[in-house]
Amino acid sequence: GLKFDDSDTPDERRRYMIGEIPEGEPPINTITQSYVQNRYAPADPENEVVDSTIAQDAWRDVRWVFIRRKIAEFFGREPE
């Protein structure tokens, strides 16, 4: 699995993940942006549901990238 330092910022984690799994860049960017917005920006209840839905969709997309990579590793192949 991917290992992060506790002191890594969200952007450092994003860059590390993209370096390891470049095909996951778009959803990784979306998840990171949503996290930073939710964590550090002033609360905006109107956008909260939209941001949550976007992040969930991005997680669904990148989850399959991780799964395909693990299956390829299991069979000794390069991920497609």
Side-chain angles (χ1 to χ4, degrees):
L2 301 175
K3 305 284 186 205
F4 304 106
D5 289 333
D6 290 341
S7 63
D8 285 349
T9 66
D11 191 58
E12 289 169 331
R13 290 175 183 222
R14 179 192 66 81
R15 285 183 279 143
Y16 175 72
M17 285 190 292
I18 291 170
E20 294 293 316
I21 307 167
E23 64 273 24
E25 182 173 0
I28 290 169
N29 286 338
T30 299
I31 292 166
T32 303
Q33 180 181 8
S34 181
Y35 172 79
V36 169
Q37 181 74 20
N38 187 334
R39 178 71 172 91
Y40 299 106
D44 185 355
E46 291 181 17
N47 288 331
E48 193 170 302
V49 173
V50 172
D51 289 343
S52 176
T53 300
I54 291 169
Q56 288 173 1
D57 290 346
W59 170 242
R60 184 194 63 234
D61 294 343
V62 80
R63 180 176 52 219
W64 287 109
V65 172
F66 286 120
I67 290 169
R68 283 191 301 272
R69 178 169 286 267
K70 282 297 180 187
I71 290 170
E73 287 175 5
F74 179 77
F75 288 108
R77 298 182 181 150
E78 288 292 318
E80 296 179 7

